[in-house]
Amino acid sequence: MPDTLYRASLLHTPQNPFKGGSLEAISDAGIVVQSGKIVAVGDFSSLRTLYPNLESTDLRGGLLLPGLVDAHVHYPQVRVIGALGMTLLDWLELNTLPEEARLSDVSYARGVASAFVRALLMHGTTSAMVFGAHFAGAQAALFEEGAARGLRVVSGQVLSDRLLRPELHQTPTSALEDGRALIQRFHGVGRAQYAVMPRFSLSASEAMLEVCQQLMTETPTARFHTHINENVDEIATVRRLFPWARDYLETYERYDLIGSRSLLAHNLHASTSELERLSAAGSSVAHCPCSNAAIGSGFFGLGRHLQHNVRVALGTDIGGGTGYGVLKEALQAYSLQRLAPDGVTMNAAQMLYLSTLAGAEALGLEGTCGDFTVGKSFDAVWVKPRKGDPLEQVFQHADSLQRMLSAAFALAGSESIAQVWIEGDCVHSRETT
Ligand code: GUN
Ligand code: ZN
């Protein structure tokens, strides 16, 4: 791709705004991108003088944000979004697992993978921790589709050997073989990374958790991703299945699965001890507010996580969640925190951080993306309303970039995402899609 000087209104959060960092906003900014990397950021006119011959791209009239990061999203659930009115275990059994079983057919899986990657990119998601498929062929299809479209995918085959449908179960031996082969083929290749993923300890025997431990030991750069403490009936079942564990977290800790490479989805009903241990381990939690509300799982204790210094990012949790938009997810997090008895009232900077850099940190990508610091990849989203859309009214009359940003959280859907770049490559353009 040619070296470019982008001209835009730019917003990012290179320092965590929950820990004293603030929103960095430049209304007439320049960003110089060479070979996909950011080499300079500042005032447009100064950069124009410094780089007089560089081709420039004019992105004024909207907001340029770092690429959005979805820290928890299920690829096989594209076709079963929107089953409302159930709670987790029924929702899995009746709505979700029958569909996941269909991915044993690789050509079916390819169709799902294609729709999935397209949906993420058109919503401005540039990196995602993707909960994968139970079948190695379907998992390969996701990595292949991600590579073809340029998405940053961290994902892995989902491992289970009990209490789901039998078609979704593997043996620990086949899980180890499949995991090794997938890691060999995809981990660290292009923009893909591998994550070891037991579905949840409810559906993983101790032998299967040992396989996870083995894969994590063999591949020190792999990530770990699973569910925890989502629903009260799930938690009661886990207690019954692991009588030796004092809580849900210990079912993973016993197999050395909780550390700085670990990302756990939901964590709604966590004890103080669990929060302390997650914090000490440097693990991250994916907060999925749309799913938590739609499946009726409960309120997320954002304040408790922050007090205990547990890293938090945002996940859409498609198909339990209700949309692919990470900006919408941030709005739902904001709204539920407004209503929760011990909620934290977030500002737009904190919401942007959760939508971008916090996700990159949770995926281990903070050295690569998440903000516009010089040296990082140019992963970016141009939020620019279409002519006549309600968001255009606010953008045209707002008195600050901060105000435009909070309006984007309120009103921007996929139709507001004009263009998306990953490592300088344009991976989505509204006008040509
Ligand atoms: N726990 C185990 N599997 C799932 C899933 O697919 N979605 C959610 N939300 N929770 C889970
Ligand atoms: Zn999930």
Side-chain angles (χ1 to χ4, degrees):
M1 89 249 17
D3 297 348
T4 307
L5 170 59
Y6 291 95
R7 182 175 197 175
S9 294
L10 169 160
L11 288 160
H12 67 150
T13 51
Q15 308 295 334
N16 182 347
F18 289 104
K19 293 185 175 175
S22 56
L23 189 67
E24 289 195 8
I26 310 176
S27 63
D28 192 11
I31 305 191
V32 178
V33 177
Q34 289 178 343
S35 304
K37 300 271 183 298
I38 299 167
V39 299
V41 180
D43 183 54
F44 176 76
S45 62
S46 330
L47 288 177
R48 178 77 287 175
T49 313
L50 279 173
Y51 295 85
N53 301 319
L54 212 54
E55 190 185 310
S56 80
T57 299
D58 193 340
L59 304 176
R60 281 176 294 175
L63 298 177
L64 192 70
L65 307 178
L68 306 175
V69 182
D70 190 337
H72 181 67
V73 54
H74 293 253
Y75 125 66
Q77 298 176 11
V78 164
R79 297 180 179 171
V80 291
I81 297 170
L84 305 177
M86 285 178 254
T87 49
L88 178 67
L89 298 179
D90 287 344
W91 175 86
L92 281 170
E93 186 183 333
L94 302 172
N95 176 68
T96 308
L97 300 180
E99 171 67 6
E100 296 215 11
R102 292 189 190 105
L103 275 79
S104 63
D105 174 349
V106 179
S107 68
Y108 186 89
R110 284 211 181 89
V112 175
S114 165
F116 174 78
V117 172
R118 179 184 147 82
L120 263 63
L121 293 175
M122 69 191 285
H123 285 80
T125 296
T126 52
S127 302
M129 177 62 87
V130 180
F131 225 83
H134 287 265
F135 309 98
Q139 188 54 40
L142 185 265
F143 279 124
E144 284 165 359
E145 187 63 26
R149 301 286 306 264
L151 182 69
R152 282 189 205 286
V153 173
V154 187
S155 186
Q157 182 183 19
V158 178
L159 304 181
S160 291
D161 61 349
R162 65 178 176 194
L163 295 176
L164 304 179
R165 306 160 69 84
E167 315 92 277
L168 295 175
H169 296 158
Q170 310 97 338
T171 63
T173 307
S174 72
L176 186 60
E177 280 168 14
D178 284 351
R180 283 177 173 155
L182 286 164
I183 287 168
Q184 172 82 13
R185 217 171 133 196
F186 296 107
H187 181 57
V189 176
R191 296 174 188 154
Q193 299 285 323
Y194 201 83
V196 175
M197 291 190 189
R199 188 162 197 124
F200 47 175
S201 53
L202 187 153
S203 67
S205 69
E206 300 189 23
M208 190 60 99
L209 293 168
E210 279 169 10
V211 165
C212 296
Q213 180 177 26
Q214 176 75 23
L215 290 171
M216 290 297 287
T217 308
E218 286 176 10
T219 313
T221 49
R223 314 294 296 183
F224 177 76
H225 187 39
T226 192
H227 296 91
I228 194 167
N229 285 323
E230 179 175 4
N231 165 282
V232 289
D233 296 330
E234 168 211 14
I235 295 167
T237 309
V238 167
R239 274 191 193 288
R240 226 178 30 252
L241 291 168
F242 296 90
W244 48 261
R246 84 190 108 146
D247 51 33
Y248 205 144
L249 186 62
E250 195 174 2
T251 66
Y252 300 125
E253 283 173 329
R254 174 69 65 100
Y255 303 94
D256 293 331
L257 299 173
I258 300 302
S260 58
R261 294 186 277 156
S262 310
L263 171 59
L264 300 138
H266 301 287
N267 207 31
L268 299 177
H269 309 282
S271 66
T272 298
S273 165
E274 286 176 300
L275 291 174
E276 285 167 356
R277 280 143 56 209
L278 285 170
S279 173
S283 303
S284 301
V285 167
H287 172 34
C288 309
C290 288
S291 165
N292 294 342
I295 314 186
S297 303
F299 280 113
F300 179 69
L302 177 61
R304 294 178 70 223
H305 282 72
L306 293 173
Q307 275 154 24
H308 287 90
N309 227 354
V310 180
R311 294 163 180 277
V312 176
L314 285 177
T316 61
D317 196 25
I318 285 298
T322 54
Y324 291 91
V326 175
L327 298 177
K328 166 178 159 175
E329 206 62 47
L331 177 71
Q332 178 82 347
Y334 165 86
S335 302
L336 291 177
Q337 289 299 312
R338 293 286 290 174
L339 293 175
D342 55 354
V344 175
T345 298
M346 286 189 280
N347 60 37
Q350 291 164 332
M351 293 162 73
L352 182 62
Y353 167 73
L354 286 180
S355 309
T356 56
L357 183 58
E361 289 168 345
L363 273 60
L365 294 173
E366 70 277 11
T368 304
C369 57
D371 64 80
F372 293 127
T373 299
V374 167
K376 290 198 178 186
S377 278
F378 184 64
D379 287 18
V381 182
W382 184 27
V383 181
K384 168 94 167 67
R386 294 177 305 192
K387 278 203 181 340
D389 279 357
L391 183 58
E392 187 188 43
Q393 286 294 312
V394 191
F395 272 21
Q396 283 173 351
H397 298 280
D399 55 13
S400 68
L401 293 186
Q402 178 140 0
R403 186 65 195 78
M404 287 169 75
L405 179 62
S406 54
F409 283 114
L411 287 171
S414 60
E415 76 290 342
S416 315
I417 306 297
Q419 221 168 320
V420 182
W421 297 261
I422 300 178
E423 215 175 334
D425 296 332
C426 177
V427 291
H428 170 74
S429 169
R430 183 175 60 201
E431 311 316 326
T432 57
T433 308

